[in-house]
Amino acid sequence: MDTVTYPNTAVIDYINKNFIPIQVNIKTSVDLLTKYRVFWTPAILILDSRGTEYYRIEGFLPSDEFIPQLKFGLGRMALEKGDYKKASSELKVVIDTYPKSDAAPAAQYWLGVSDYKATHNTDALLSAWREIMKDYPNSIWAHKVSFAF
Amino acid sequence: MLEFVLSSFALLGIIPIGMALVTEIKEEPTAIVWESDIEKVVKKATSAGKPILMDFFSPT
């Protein structure tokens, strides 16, 4: 990550603007390693401002997959916190801007959930999930929604 | 003469504006600004209203 992904200017800009970033040396920070149950590196965790974990990325990712994963993580965090407007917004950015990324079908799945949670409208859920069947038929997310169609 | 006086006044007005604009331009960081102290990070994140990105790495 330090030699390929983190020097990428888009990654630098995105992280500096959207996060307070911290690097943790696993050899000297056993307390954090234990607290967050990290056993392999690289491990990148998205925490809220109080230090509660909401999403993690394990293993190397190039910048074109890393940025959508970060955006997806922010969307998932907003969803879990019940901020459906923000969740849907973040997830839509992943789908619209990075449609070929691995995060896109997952974002489409959770966008349906977010829209449903916000409106309690089943049509919103099914409409979002139908897009998975259309755009990402070979993804695991298509399997997850296949029962509905 | 009048032209000279007027252009001098114009310069006097433009120079401070130009200097103000120059000082407004901030250079973007050329690397991720990593922190290393979790307590400091939580304080910064709380006051900025931003999430934390925590990267665990193994030194080589």
Side-chain angles (χ1 to χ4, degrees), chain A residues 6 12 16-26 43-49, chain B residues 29-35 42 45-46 50-59:
Chain A
Y6 290 150
I12 292 168
N16 284 338
K17 279 186 180 155
N18 293 283
F19 294 95
I20 304 296
I22 175 172
Q23 271 195 315
V24 177
N25 182 335
I26 61 163
I44 298 104
L45 278 55
I46 292 178
L47 319 173
D48 69 5
S49 58
Chain B
T30 54
I32 297 169
V33 186
W34 295 107
E35 300 284 351
V42 168
T46 305
K50 285 185 179 181
I52 297 164
L53 189 73
M54 184 176 277
D55 172 44
F56 286 88
F57 74 99
S58 179

PDB file of all heavy atoms in Angstrom, chain A residues 6 12 16-26 43-49, chain B residues 29-35 42 45-46 50-59:
ATOM      1  N   TYR A   6      -0.975   4.300  -1.669  1.00  0.00           N
ATOM      2  CA  TYR A   6      -0.963   5.548  -0.895  1.00  0.00           C
ATOM      3  C   TYR A   6      -0.276   6.722  -1.601  1.00  0.00           C
ATOM      4  O   TYR A   6      -0.665   7.871  -1.360  1.00  0.00           O
ATOM      5  CB  TYR A   6      -0.340   5.309   0.479  1.00  0.00           C
ATOM      6  CG  TYR A   6      -1.229   4.466   1.394  1.00  0.00           C
ATOM      7  CD1 TYR A   6      -0.686   3.632   2.366  1.00  0.00           C
ATOM      8  CD2 TYR A   6      -2.614   4.521   1.294  1.00  0.00           C
ATOM      9  CE1 TYR A   6      -1.491   2.868   3.203  1.00  0.00           C
ATOM     10  CE2 TYR A   6      -3.424   3.757   2.117  1.00  0.00           C
ATOM     11  CZ  TYR A   6      -2.862   2.937   3.069  1.00  0.00           C
ATOM     12  OH  TYR A   6      -3.668   2.188   3.891  1.00  0.00           O
ATOM     13  N   ILE A  12      -4.449  10.184  -1.997  1.00  0.00           N
ATOM     14  CA  ILE A  12      -3.964  11.197  -1.038  1.00  0.00           C
ATOM     15  C   ILE A  12      -5.053  12.237  -0.802  1.00  0.00           C
ATOM     16  O   ILE A  12      -5.407  12.553   0.332  1.00  0.00           O
ATOM     17  CB  ILE A  12      -2.691  11.894  -1.582  1.00  0.00           C
ATOM     18  CG1 ILE A  12      -1.529  10.903  -1.630  1.00  0.00           C
ATOM     19  CG2 ILE A  12      -2.328  13.112  -0.727  1.00  0.00           C
ATOM     20  CD1 ILE A  12      -0.332  11.418  -2.417  1.00  0.00           C
ATOM     21  N   ASN A  16      -7.042  12.572   2.780  1.00  0.00           N
ATOM     22  CA  ASN A  16      -6.802  13.802   3.553  1.00  0.00           C
ATOM     23  C   ASN A  16      -8.075  14.630   3.723  1.00  0.00           C
ATOM     24  O   ASN A  16      -8.257  15.302   4.730  1.00  0.00           O
ATOM     25  CB  ASN A  16      -5.712  14.648   2.888  1.00  0.00           C
ATOM     26  CG  ASN A  16      -4.321  14.083   3.138  1.00  0.00           C
ATOM     27  OD1 ASN A  16      -4.092  13.339   4.089  1.00  0.00           O
ATOM     28  ND2 ASN A  16      -3.382  14.430   2.281  1.00  0.00           N
ATOM     29  N   LYS A  17      -8.953  14.581   2.731  1.00  0.00           N
ATOM     30  CA  LYS A  17     -10.184  15.385   2.808  1.00  0.00           C
ATOM     31  C   LYS A  17     -11.276  14.737   3.654  1.00  0.00           C
ATOM     32  O   LYS A  17     -12.073  15.426   4.276  1.00  0.00           O
ATOM     33  CB  LYS A  17     -10.727  15.641   1.406  1.00  0.00           C
ATOM     34  CG  LYS A  17     -10.028  16.786   0.712  1.00  0.00           C
ATOM     35  CD  LYS A  17     -10.673  17.123  -0.608  1.00  0.00           C
ATOM     36  CE  LYS A  17      -9.917  18.279  -1.269  1.00  0.00           C
ATOM     37  NZ  LYS A  17     -10.056  18.308  -2.698  1.00  0.00           N
ATOM     38  N   ASN A  18     -11.307  13.402   3.659  1.00  0.00           N
ATOM     39  CA  ASN A  18     -12.472  12.726   4.253  1.00  0.00           C
ATOM     40  C   ASN A  18     -12.217  12.004   5.563  1.00  0.00           C
ATOM     41  O   ASN A  18     -13.172  11.577   6.216  1.00  0.00           O
ATOM     42  CB  ASN A  18     -13.049  11.728   3.243  1.00  0.00           C
ATOM     43  CG  ASN A  18     -13.654  12.432   2.050  1.00  0.00           C
ATOM     44  OD1 ASN A  18     -14.755  12.962   2.133  1.00  0.00           O
ATOM     45  ND2 ASN A  18     -12.931  12.476   0.947  1.00  0.00           N
ATOM     46  N   PHE A  19     -10.957  11.842   5.929  1.00  0.00           N
ATOM     47  CA  PHE A  19     -10.638  11.078   7.129  1.00  0.00           C
ATOM     48  C   PHE A  19      -9.582  11.777   7.973  1.00  0.00           C
ATOM     49  O   PHE A  19      -8.851  12.629   7.488  1.00  0.00           O
ATOM     50  CB  PHE A  19     -10.062   9.700   6.755  1.00  0.00           C
ATOM     51  CG  PHE A  19     -11.028   8.787   6.059  1.00  0.00           C
ATOM     52  CD1 PHE A  19     -11.062   8.717   4.668  1.00  0.00           C
ATOM     53  CD2 PHE A  19     -11.896   7.975   6.777  1.00  0.00           C
ATOM     54  CE1 PHE A  19     -11.943   7.864   4.007  1.00  0.00           C
ATOM     55  CE2 PHE A  19     -12.778   7.118   6.130  1.00  0.00           C
ATOM     56  CZ  PHE A  19     -12.798   7.069   4.742  1.00  0.00           C
ATOM     57  N   ILE A  20      -9.503  11.341   9.239  1.00  0.00           N
ATOM     58  CA  ILE A  20      -8.309  11.588  10.037  1.00  0.00           C
ATOM     59  C   ILE A  20      -7.551  10.255   9.981  1.00  0.00           C
ATOM     60  O   ILE A  20      -7.987   9.258  10.562  1.00  0.00           O
ATOM     61  CB  ILE A  20      -8.652  11.956  11.500  1.00  0.00           C
ATOM     62  CG1 ILE A  20      -9.598  13.165  11.554  1.00  0.00           C
ATOM     63  CG2 ILE A  20      -7.374  12.219  12.275  1.00  0.00           C
ATOM     64  CD1 ILE A  20      -9.031  14.462  11.004  1.00  0.00           C
ATOM     65  N   PRO A  21      -6.448  10.204   9.243  1.00  0.00           N
ATOM     66  CA  PRO A  21      -5.761   8.920   9.033  1.00  0.00           C
ATOM     67  C   PRO A  21      -4.692   8.641  10.091  1.00  0.00           C
ATOM     68  O   PRO A  21      -3.972   9.550  10.509  1.00  0.00           O
ATOM     69  CB  PRO A  21      -5.128   9.089   7.653  1.00  0.00           C
ATOM     70  CG  PRO A  21      -4.953  10.549   7.462  1.00  0.00           C
ATOM     71  CD  PRO A  21      -5.901  11.272   8.379  1.00  0.00           C
ATOM     72  N   ILE A  22      -4.588   7.384  10.468  1.00  0.00           N
ATOM     73  CA  ILE A  22      -3.553   6.981  11.434  1.00  0.00           C
ATOM     74  C   ILE A  22      -2.921   5.685  10.929  1.00  0.00           C
ATOM     75  O   ILE A  22      -3.630   4.783  10.468  1.00  0.00           O
ATOM     76  CB  ILE A  22      -4.137   6.802  12.854  1.00  0.00           C
ATOM     77  CG1 ILE A  22      -3.063   6.271  13.821  1.00  0.00           C
ATOM     78  CG2 ILE A  22      -5.374   5.923  12.889  1.00  0.00           C
ATOM     79  CD1 ILE A  22      -3.490   6.237  15.291  1.00  0.00           C
ATOM     80  N   GLN A  23      -1.608   5.616  11.000  1.00  0.00           N
ATOM     81  CA  GLN A  23      -0.908   4.371  10.686  1.00  0.00           C
ATOM     82  C   GLN A  23      -0.455   3.723  11.979  1.00  0.00           C
ATOM     83  O   GLN A  23       0.110   4.388  12.855  1.00  0.00           O
ATOM     84  CB  GLN A  23       0.286   4.623   9.756  1.00  0.00           C
ATOM     85  CG  GLN A  23      -0.125   4.564   8.296  1.00  0.00           C
ATOM     86  CD  GLN A  23       1.017   4.455   7.333  1.00  0.00           C
ATOM     87  OE1 GLN A  23       2.010   5.156   7.467  1.00  0.00           O
ATOM     88  NE2 GLN A  23       0.878   3.620   6.323  1.00  0.00           N
ATOM     89  N   VAL A  24      -0.709   2.422  12.064  1.00  0.00           N
ATOM     90  CA  VAL A  24      -0.415   1.689  13.287  1.00  0.00           C
ATOM     91  C   VAL A  24       0.591   0.586  12.970  1.00  0.00           C
ATOM     92  O   VAL A  24       0.314  -0.305  12.158  1.00  0.00           O
ATOM     93  CB  VAL A  24      -1.704   1.073  13.881  1.00  0.00           C
ATOM     94  CG1 VAL A  24      -1.379   0.258  15.121  1.00  0.00           C
ATOM     95  CG2 VAL A  24      -2.726   2.156  14.190  1.00  0.00           C
ATOM     96  N   ASN A  25       1.740   0.658  13.613  1.00  0.00           N
ATOM     97  CA  ASN A  25       2.776  -0.360  13.459  1.00  0.00           C
ATOM     98  C   ASN A  25       2.402  -1.568  14.323  1.00  0.00           C
ATOM     99  O   ASN A  25       2.297  -1.454  15.545  1.00  0.00           O
ATOM    100  CB  ASN A  25       4.119   0.241  13.914  1.00  0.00           C
ATOM    101  CG  ASN A  25       5.274  -0.720  13.745  1.00  0.00           C
ATOM    102  OD1 ASN A  25       5.090  -1.945  13.730  1.00  0.00           O
ATOM    103  ND2 ASN A  25       6.474  -0.169  13.638  1.00  0.00           N
ATOM    104  N   ILE A  26       2.194  -2.714  13.691  1.00  0.00           N
ATOM    105  CA  ILE A  26       1.709  -3.865  14.465  1.00  0.00           C
ATOM    106  C   ILE A  26       2.757  -4.405  15.443  1.00  0.00           C
ATOM    107  O   ILE A  26       2.424  -5.111  16.384  1.00  0.00           O
ATOM    108  CB  ILE A  26       1.227  -5.020  13.546  1.00  0.00           C
ATOM    109  CG1 ILE A  26       2.380  -5.537  12.670  1.00  0.00           C
ATOM    110  CG2 ILE A  26       0.050  -4.589  12.702  1.00  0.00           C
ATOM    111  CD1 ILE A  26       2.090  -6.902  12.074  1.00  0.00           C
ATOM    112  N   ALA A  43      -4.319  -4.107   6.842  1.00  0.00           N
ATOM    113  CA  ALA A  43      -5.708  -4.063   7.310  1.00  0.00           C
ATOM    114  C   ALA A  43      -6.063  -2.599   7.503  1.00  0.00           C
ATOM    115  O   ALA A  43      -5.359  -1.885   8.228  1.00  0.00           O
ATOM    116  CB  ALA A  43      -5.863  -4.837   8.615  1.00  0.00           C
ATOM    117  N   ILE A  44      -7.089  -2.168   6.805  1.00  0.00           N
ATOM    118  CA  ILE A  44      -7.486  -0.753   6.857  1.00  0.00           C
ATOM    119  C   ILE A  44      -8.899  -0.689   7.414  1.00  0.00           C
ATOM    120  O   ILE A  44      -9.829  -1.262   6.830  1.00  0.00           O
ATOM    121  CB  ILE A  44      -7.420  -0.113   5.456  1.00  0.00           C
ATOM    122  CG1 ILE A  44      -5.984  -0.149   4.935  1.00  0.00           C
ATOM    123  CG2 ILE A  44      -7.910   1.325   5.501  1.00  0.00           C
ATOM    124  CD1 ILE A  44      -5.719  -1.174   3.903  1.00  0.00           C
ATOM    125  N   LEU A  45      -9.042  -0.011   8.523  1.00  0.00           N
ATOM    126  CA  LEU A  45     -10.332   0.041   9.214  1.00  0.00           C
ATOM    127  C   LEU A  45     -10.938   1.437   9.115  1.00  0.00           C
ATOM    128  O   LEU A  45     -10.217   2.430   9.230  1.00  0.00           O
ATOM    129  CB  LEU A  45     -10.159  -0.311  10.696  1.00  0.00           C
ATOM    130  CG  LEU A  45     -10.106  -1.796  11.081  1.00  0.00           C
ATOM    131  CD1 LEU A  45      -9.019  -2.557  10.327  1.00  0.00           C
ATOM    132  CD2 LEU A  45      -9.899  -1.946  12.579  1.00  0.00           C
ATOM    133  N   ILE A  46     -12.238   1.464   8.895  1.00  0.00           N
ATOM    134  CA  ILE A  46     -12.960   2.737   8.955  1.00  0.00           C
ATOM    135  C   ILE A  46     -13.676   2.784  10.298  1.00  0.00           C
ATOM    136  O   ILE A  46     -14.484   1.908  10.624  1.00  0.00           O
ATOM    137  CB  ILE A  46     -13.962   2.866   7.788  1.00  0.00           C
ATOM    138  CG1 ILE A  46     -13.190   2.985   6.466  1.00  0.00           C
ATOM    139  CG2 ILE A  46     -14.868   4.085   7.986  1.00  0.00           C
ATOM    140  CD1 ILE A  46     -14.077   3.079   5.229  1.00  0.00           C
ATOM    141  N   LEU A  47     -13.330   3.792  11.078  1.00  0.00           N
ATOM    142  CA  LEU A  47     -13.901   3.959  12.415  1.00  0.00           C
ATOM    143  C   LEU A  47     -14.667   5.273  12.457  1.00  0.00           C
ATOM    144  O   LEU A  47     -14.341   6.208  11.716  1.00  0.00           O
ATOM    145  CB  LEU A  47     -12.793   4.019  13.468  1.00  0.00           C
ATOM    146  CG  LEU A  47     -11.599   3.063  13.337  1.00  0.00           C
ATOM    147  CD1 LEU A  47     -10.557   3.418  14.398  1.00  0.00           C
ATOM    148  CD2 LEU A  47     -12.034   1.620  13.496  1.00  0.00           C
ATOM    149  N   ASP A  48     -15.645   5.335  13.346  1.00  0.00           N
ATOM    150  CA  ASP A  48     -16.257   6.649  13.532  1.00  0.00           C
ATOM    151  C   ASP A  48     -15.334   7.497  14.412  1.00  0.00           C
ATOM    152  O   ASP A  48     -14.274   7.033  14.841  1.00  0.00           O
ATOM    153  CB  ASP A  48     -17.692   6.539  14.081  1.00  0.00           C
ATOM    154  CG  ASP A  48     -17.760   6.045  15.519  1.00  0.00           C
ATOM    155  OD1 ASP A  48     -16.701   5.865  16.157  1.00  0.00           O
ATOM    156  OD2 ASP A  48     -18.887   5.826  16.010  1.00  0.00           O
ATOM    157  N   SER A  49     -15.743   8.726  14.664  1.00  0.00           N
ATOM    158  CA  SER A  49     -14.834   9.644  15.360  1.00  0.00           C
ATOM    159  C   SER A  49     -14.555   9.221  16.800  1.00  0.00           C
ATOM    160  O   SER A  49     -13.628   9.718  17.425  1.00  0.00           O
ATOM    161  CB  SER A  49     -15.402  11.069  15.327  1.00  0.00           C
ATOM    162  OG  SER A  49     -16.682  11.082  15.918  1.00  0.00           O
TER     163      SER A  49
ATOM    164  N   PRO B  29      -1.371  18.805   0.287  1.00  0.00           N
ATOM    165  CA  PRO B  29      -0.335  17.876   0.734  1.00  0.00           C
ATOM    166  C   PRO B  29       0.012  16.884  -0.375  1.00  0.00           C
ATOM    167  O   PRO B  29      -0.860  16.468  -1.132  1.00  0.00           O
ATOM    168  CB  PRO B  29      -0.988  17.148   1.918  1.00  0.00           C
ATOM    169  CG  PRO B  29      -2.140  17.992   2.319  1.00  0.00           C
ATOM    170  CD  PRO B  29      -2.575  18.737   1.101  1.00  0.00           C
ATOM    171  N   THR B  30       1.281  16.536  -0.467  1.00  0.00           N
ATOM    172  CA  THR B  30       1.717  15.608  -1.508  1.00  0.00           C
ATOM    173  C   THR B  30       1.788  14.174  -0.984  1.00  0.00           C
ATOM    174  O   THR B  30       2.249  13.272  -1.676  1.00  0.00           O
ATOM    175  CB  THR B  30       3.099  16.000  -2.051  1.00  0.00           C
ATOM    176  OG1 THR B  30       3.988  16.102  -0.936  1.00  0.00           O
ATOM    177  CG2 THR B  30       3.026  17.320  -2.780  1.00  0.00           C
ATOM    178  N   ALA B  31       1.329  13.988   0.247  1.00  0.00           N
ATOM    179  CA  ALA B  31       1.272  12.639   0.822  1.00  0.00           C
ATOM    180  C   ALA B  31       0.138  12.614   1.839  1.00  0.00           C
ATOM    181  O   ALA B  31      -0.347  13.668   2.260  1.00  0.00           O
ATOM    182  CB  ALA B  31       2.588  12.302   1.503  1.00  0.00           C
ATOM    183  N   ILE B  32      -0.263  11.414   2.204  1.00  0.00           N
ATOM    184  CA  ILE B  32      -1.292  11.287   3.249  1.00  0.00           C
ATOM    185  C   ILE B  32      -0.690  11.774   4.562  1.00  0.00           C
ATOM    186  O   ILE B  32       0.445  11.429   4.903  1.00  0.00           O
ATOM    187  CB  ILE B  32      -1.755   9.821   3.371  1.00  0.00           C
ATOM    188  CG1 ILE B  32      -2.419   9.372   2.067  1.00  0.00           C
ATOM    189  CG2 ILE B  32      -2.722   9.659   4.541  1.00  0.00           C
ATOM    190  CD1 ILE B  32      -2.667   7.881   1.976  1.00  0.00           C
ATOM    191  N   VAL B  33      -1.452  12.585   5.266  1.00  0.00           N
ATOM    192  CA  VAL B  33      -0.942  13.149   6.528  1.00  0.00           C
ATOM    193  C   VAL B  33      -1.298  12.188   7.655  1.00  0.00           C
ATOM    194  O   VAL B  33      -2.310  12.349   8.348  1.00  0.00           O
ATOM    195  CB  VAL B  33      -1.541  14.559   6.775  1.00  0.00           C
ATOM    196  CG1 VAL B  33      -0.899  15.193   7.999  1.00  0.00           C
ATOM    197  CG2 VAL B  33      -1.363  15.442   5.552  1.00  0.00           C
ATOM    198  N   TRP B  34      -0.478  11.164   7.820  1.00  0.00           N
ATOM    199  CA  TRP B  34      -0.746  10.134   8.813  1.00  0.00           C
ATOM    200  C   TRP B  34      -0.454  10.638  10.219  1.00  0.00           C
ATOM    201  O   TRP B  34       0.544  11.308  10.450  1.00  0.00           O
ATOM    202  CB  TRP B  34       0.132   8.896   8.572  1.00  0.00           C
ATOM    203  CG  TRP B  34      -0.131   8.171   7.305  1.00  0.00           C
ATOM    204  CD1 TRP B  34       0.663   8.162   6.193  1.00  0.00           C
ATOM    205  CD2 TRP B  34      -1.256   7.325   7.005  1.00  0.00           C
ATOM    206  NE1 TRP B  34       0.091   7.360   5.222  1.00  0.00           N
ATOM    207  CE2 TRP B  34      -1.076   6.836   5.693  1.00  0.00           C
ATOM    208  CE3 TRP B  34      -2.395   6.934   7.714  1.00  0.00           C
ATOM    209  CZ2 TRP B  34      -1.985   5.984   5.074  1.00  0.00           C
ATOM    210  CZ3 TRP B  34      -3.295   6.085   7.100  1.00  0.00           C
ATOM    211  CH2 TRP B  34      -3.097   5.618   5.807  1.00  0.00           C
ATOM    212  N   GLU B  35      -1.311  10.262  11.133  1.00  0.00           N
ATOM    213  CA  GLU B  35      -1.040  10.477  12.561  1.00  0.00           C
ATOM    214  C   GLU B  35      -0.526   9.155  13.119  1.00  0.00           C
ATOM    215  O   GLU B  35      -0.591   8.115  12.452  1.00  0.00           O
ATOM    216  CB  GLU B  35      -2.334  10.882  13.282  1.00  0.00           C
ATOM    217  CG  GLU B  35      -2.983  12.160  12.777  1.00  0.00           C
ATOM    218  CD  GLU B  35      -2.271  13.414  13.239  1.00  0.00           C
ATOM    219  OE1 GLU B  35      -1.371  13.307  14.097  1.00  0.00           O
ATOM    220  OE2 GLU B  35      -2.595  14.492  12.730  1.00  0.00           O
ATOM    221  N   VAL B  42      -8.468  10.571  17.852  1.00  0.00           N
ATOM    222  CA  VAL B  42      -9.868  10.611  18.292  1.00  0.00           C
ATOM    223  C   VAL B  42     -10.280  12.063  18.582  1.00  0.00           C
ATOM    224  O   VAL B  42     -11.372  12.489  18.183  1.00  0.00           O
ATOM    225  CB  VAL B  42     -10.087   9.695  19.520  1.00  0.00           C
ATOM    226  CG1 VAL B  42     -11.444   9.961  20.155  1.00  0.00           C
ATOM    227  CG2 VAL B  42      -9.976   8.231  19.114  1.00  0.00           C
ATOM    228  N   ALA B  45     -10.586  13.824  15.206  1.00  0.00           N
ATOM    229  CA  ALA B  45     -11.761  13.343  14.476  1.00  0.00           C
ATOM    230  C   ALA B  45     -13.043  13.900  15.080  1.00  0.00           C
ATOM    231  O   ALA B  45     -13.960  14.301  14.362  1.00  0.00           O
ATOM    232  CB  ALA B  45     -11.782  11.815  14.483  1.00  0.00           C
ATOM    233  N   THR B  46     -13.089  13.934  16.399  1.00  0.00           N
ATOM    234  CA  THR B  46     -14.280  14.457  17.081  1.00  0.00           C
ATOM    235  C   THR B  46     -14.473  15.934  16.760  1.00  0.00           C
ATOM    236  O   THR B  46     -15.583  16.364  16.428  1.00  0.00           O
ATOM    237  CB  THR B  46     -14.162  14.244  18.602  1.00  0.00           C
ATOM    238  OG1 THR B  46     -13.929  12.852  18.841  1.00  0.00           O
ATOM    239  CG2 THR B  46     -15.418  14.676  19.324  1.00  0.00           C
ATOM    240  N   LYS B  50     -15.039  14.066  11.499  1.00  0.00           N
ATOM    241  CA  LYS B  50     -14.637  13.153  10.411  1.00  0.00           C
ATOM    242  C   LYS B  50     -14.424  11.755  10.965  1.00  0.00           C
ATOM    243  O   LYS B  50     -14.056  11.587  12.130  1.00  0.00           O
ATOM    244  CB  LYS B  50     -13.312  13.621   9.797  1.00  0.00           C
ATOM    245  CG  LYS B  50     -13.409  14.822   8.898  1.00  0.00           C
ATOM    246  CD  LYS B  50     -12.045  15.097   8.274  1.00  0.00           C
ATOM    247  CE  LYS B  50     -12.081  16.278   7.332  1.00  0.00           C
ATOM    248  NZ  LYS B  50     -10.765  16.521   6.728  1.00  0.00           N
ATOM    249  N   PRO B  51     -14.594  10.739  10.116  1.00  0.00           N
ATOM    250  CA  PRO B  51     -14.251   9.384  10.545  1.00  0.00           C
ATOM    251  C   PRO B  51     -12.738   9.186  10.559  1.00  0.00           C
ATOM    252  O   PRO B  51     -11.983  10.015  10.042  1.00  0.00           O
ATOM    253  CB  PRO B  51     -14.907   8.505   9.468  1.00  0.00           C
ATOM    254  CG  PRO B  51     -15.013   9.372   8.279  1.00  0.00           C
ATOM    255  CD  PRO B  51     -15.141  10.787   8.753  1.00  0.00           C
ATOM    256  N   ILE B  52     -12.332   8.074  11.148  1.00  0.00           N
ATOM    257  CA  ILE B  52     -10.907   7.743  11.251  1.00  0.00           C
ATOM    258  C   ILE B  52     -10.597   6.624  10.257  1.00  0.00           C
ATOM    259  O   ILE B  52     -11.375   5.678  10.118  1.00  0.00           O
ATOM    260  CB  ILE B  52     -10.584   7.263  12.687  1.00  0.00           C
ATOM    261  CG1 ILE B  52     -10.837   8.405  13.688  1.00  0.00           C
ATOM    262  CG2 ILE B  52      -9.155   6.744  12.795  1.00  0.00           C
ATOM    263  CD1 ILE B  52     -10.928   7.937  15.139  1.00  0.00           C
ATOM    264  N   LEU B  53      -9.474   6.750   9.582  1.00  0.00           N
ATOM    265  CA  LEU B  53      -8.981   5.652   8.746  1.00  0.00           C
ATOM    266  C   LEU B  53      -7.745   5.084   9.433  1.00  0.00           C
ATOM    267  O   LEU B  53      -6.744   5.790   9.601  1.00  0.00           O
ATOM    268  CB  LEU B  53      -8.617   6.150   7.345  1.00  0.00           C
ATOM    269  CG  LEU B  53      -8.310   5.030   6.351  1.00  0.00           C
ATOM    270  CD1 LEU B  53      -9.587   4.309   5.948  1.00  0.00           C
ATOM    271  CD2 LEU B  53      -7.620   5.574   5.111  1.00  0.00           C
ATOM    272  N   MET B  54      -7.847   3.825   9.872  1.00  0.00           N
ATOM    273  CA  MET B  54      -6.749   3.217  10.625  1.00  0.00           C
ATOM    274  C   MET B  54      -6.069   2.145   9.783  1.00  0.00           C
ATOM    275  O   MET B  54      -6.684   1.146   9.417  1.00  0.00           O
ATOM    276  CB  MET B  54      -7.303   2.616  11.928  1.00  0.00           C
ATOM    277  CG  MET B  54      -6.236   2.038  12.826  1.00  0.00           C
ATOM    278  SD  MET B  54      -6.945   1.458  14.389  1.00  0.00           S
ATOM    279  CE  MET B  54      -7.007   2.983  15.322  1.00  0.00           C
ATOM    280  N   ASP B  55      -4.803   2.385   9.458  1.00  0.00           N
ATOM    281  CA  ASP B  55      -4.048   1.459   8.616  1.00  0.00           C
ATOM    282  C   ASP B  55      -3.035   0.701   9.471  1.00  0.00           C
ATOM    283  O   ASP B  55      -2.106   1.292  10.016  1.00  0.00           O
ATOM    284  CB  ASP B  55      -3.326   2.243   7.516  1.00  0.00           C
ATOM    285  CG  ASP B  55      -2.369   1.364   6.727  1.00  0.00           C
ATOM    286  OD1 ASP B  55      -2.762   0.241   6.371  1.00  0.00           O
ATOM    287  OD2 ASP B  55      -1.226   1.792   6.479  1.00  0.00           O
ATOM    288  N   PHE B  56      -3.252  -0.595   9.604  1.00  0.00           N
ATOM    289  CA  PHE B  56      -2.291  -1.435  10.316  1.00  0.00           C
ATOM    290  C   PHE B  56      -1.239  -1.903   9.318  1.00  0.00           C
ATOM    291  O   PHE B  56      -1.585  -2.453   8.271  1.00  0.00           O
ATOM    292  CB  PHE B  56      -2.997  -2.650  10.930  1.00  0.00           C
ATOM    293  CG  PHE B  56      -3.825  -2.326  12.123  1.00  0.00           C
ATOM    294  CD1 PHE B  56      -5.148  -1.948  11.978  1.00  0.00           C
ATOM    295  CD2 PHE B  56      -3.290  -2.393  13.408  1.00  0.00           C
ATOM    296  CE1 PHE B  56      -5.927  -1.642  13.083  1.00  0.00           C
ATOM    297  CE2 PHE B  56      -4.064  -2.096  14.522  1.00  0.00           C
ATOM    298  CZ  PHE B  56      -5.385  -1.721  14.355  1.00  0.00           C
ATOM    299  N   PHE B  57       0.021  -1.697   9.659  1.00  0.00           N
ATOM    300  CA  PHE B  57       1.082  -2.106   8.742  1.00  0.00           C
ATOM    301  C   PHE B  57       2.172  -2.842   9.492  1.00  0.00           C
ATOM    302  O   PHE B  57       2.349  -2.670  10.701  1.00  0.00           O
ATOM    303  CB  PHE B  57       1.666  -0.901   7.993  1.00  0.00           C
ATOM    304  CG  PHE B  57       2.543  -0.028   8.859  1.00  0.00           C
ATOM    305  CD1 PHE B  57       3.939  -0.154   8.810  1.00  0.00           C
ATOM    306  CD2 PHE B  57       1.994   0.896   9.729  1.00  0.00           C
ATOM    307  CE1 PHE B  57       4.750   0.648   9.607  1.00  0.00           C
ATOM    308  CE2 PHE B  57       2.798   1.698  10.528  1.00  0.00           C
ATOM    309  CZ  PHE B  57       4.178   1.574  10.468  1.00  0.00           C
ATOM    310  N   SER B  58       2.863  -3.682   8.730  1.00  0.00           N
ATOM    311  CA  SER B  58       3.995  -4.420   9.281  1.00  0.00           C
ATOM    312  C   SER B  58       5.267  -3.823   8.698  1.00  0.00           C
ATOM    313  O   SER B  58       5.446  -3.846   7.477  1.00  0.00           O
ATOM    314  CB  SER B  58       3.872  -5.896   8.909  1.00  0.00           C
ATOM    315  OG  SER B  58       4.967  -6.604   9.405  1.00  0.00           O
ATOM    316  N   PRO B  59       6.142  -3.267   9.534  1.00  0.00           N
ATOM    317  CA  PRO B  59       7.356  -2.640   8.991  1.00  0.00           C
ATOM    318  C   PRO B  59       8.269  -3.685   8.352  1.00  0.00           C
ATOM    319  O   PRO B  59       8.383  -4.790   8.871  1.00  0.00           O
ATOM    320  CB  PRO B  59       8.019  -2.014  10.220  1.00  0.00           C
ATOM    321  CG  PRO B  59       7.455  -2.752  11.375  1.00  0.00           C
ATOM    322  CD  PRO B  59       6.099  -3.226  10.985  1.00  0.00           C
TER     323      PRO B  59
END
